[in-house]
Amino acid sequence: MKGLILKDIYTVRFQLIISVVLMLIPDLTVSLAADSLSGEGGIEQMMSIFLFGVANLICICLFSSFILNTLNDDINSGWGKIVRTMPVTSGTVIGAKFAASAIVVGITTIISLIFNIIGIIVQGLPAEPLIMLPVCLGVLQMAVLCPVFPLAMKLGTRSTTLIYVCTLVILLSGAVAALYLSFTSGNSLVLLRVIFYGGLPVLAAGSMILSYHAGLRVFSSMTI
């Protein structure tokens, strides 16, 4: 499995290097700009959290979405048929895709957390939202990213990428609506914590399990 994981990461190595530089810039910019935005008022603090959230969104979603390029590479090179002739199980092939995705998402989440923690320490911003944002975005990204691989094997990468983008936009819109409610109603904080701390991990775990079994079925039905 190690070789299959490294194959996917090696395929997008140049995009990942460029993306790291591009995604460090907005995080650093937000960290510097927060000095003039932070203050006693709730509006300034909310604006700072919003800027960090936008930077985290760009960092995690943009970076990890490059792993989708491996789907096109597999199809164009005929790798999906070649790997079926090798002494590896279908579970290993599908598991390697998920593992590579988790590694990429994990790296982007850690990058976001580092700069968010800098904002917490240096700018005195609230810890809970700045820690919650990258972690929840990473979990959400895994929940959306995992079903892409079996769907791409079945439907093709073009239509599947569109489904991925639409699903991510819908879920992010729901998350923004939930965050808005948390700022406008104090009673919604408990419900918000239940959704983000409990609901998202369950959604991601269910997505990974269902996608894994769907990937096994699709991979087994593919002809050499």
Side-chain angles (χ1 to χ4, degrees), residues 30-224:
V30 169
S31 180
L32 295 175
D35 186 41
S36 59
L37 290 173
S38 60
E40 298 296 332
I43 296 178
E44 291 83 356
Q45 190 175 85
M46 187 185 304
M47 193 65 183
S48 298
I49 296 173
F50 174 77
L51 291 175
F52 271 96
V54 171
N56 295 159
L57 177 63
I58 295 173
C59 181
I60 294 172
C61 294
L62 177 63
F63 192 177
S64 60
S65 65
F66 282 125
I67 200 70
L68 297 177
N69 293 343
T70 63
L71 298 173
N72 278 324
D73 293 336
D74 289 349
I75 293 175
N76 295 333
S77 64
W79 170 255
K81 295 181 178 180
I82 295 173
V83 74
R84 288 177 57 82
T85 66
M86 297 181 177
V88 292
T89 64
S90 56
T92 300
V93 175
I94 302 302
K97 286 290 185 183
F98 289 174
S101 301
I103 290 172
V104 172
V105 172
I107 292 173
T108 57
T109 301
I110 291 173
I111 291 173
S112 296
L113 273 173
I114 290 173
F115 282 92
N116 284 17
I117 292 174
I118 291 175
I120 295 171
I121 297 174
V122 177
Q123 308 299 335
L125 297 173
E128 183 179 9
L130 290 185
I131 293 176
M132 177 197 71
L133 279 168
V135 173
C136 289
L137 281 173
V139 175
L140 179 64
Q141 181 70 348
M142 283 301 299
V144 179
L145 202 59
C146 287
V148 171
F149 297 110
L151 284 175
M153 289 188 290
K154 186 72 174 179
L155 304 176
T157 57
R158 181 173 299 179
S159 57
T160 305
T161 301
L162 179 61
I163 294 173
Y164 159 77
V165 173
C166 293
T167 304
L168 186 61
V169 169
I170 292 172
L171 291 177
L172 286 174
S173 300
V176 170
L179 288 172
Y180 175 78
L181 290 175
S182 70
F183 284 111
T184 58
S185 175
N187 297 327
S188 64
L189 286 175
V190 175
L191 178 61
L192 188 66
R193 290 189 177 101
V194 171
I195 293 175
F196 282 100
Y197 300 157
L200 278 182
V202 172
L203 176 65
S207 173
M208 291 181 67
I209 293 172
L210 293 176
S211 300
Y212 178 78
H213 289 287
L216 291 179
R217 183 171 299 181
V218 174
F219 189 80
S220 300
S221 64
M222 293 172 61
T223 58
I224 300 177

Side-chain angles (χ1 to χ4, degrees), residues 4-14 16 67 70 99-101 103-104 107:
L4 295 175
I5 296 173
L6 292 177
K7 175 192 73 69
D8 286 341
I9 297 178
Y10 182 79
T11 302
V12 296
R13 65 192 184 283
F14 294 115
L16 297 184
I67 200 70
T70 63
S101 301
I103 290 172
V104 172
I107 292 173

Side-chain angles (χ1 to χ4, degrees), residues 19-30 59 111-112 115:
S19 297
V20 168
V21 176
L22 291 177
M23 289 178 288
L24 287 176
I25 293 174
D27 270 335
L28 182 59
T29 302
V30 169
C59 181
I111 291 173
S112 296
F115 282 92

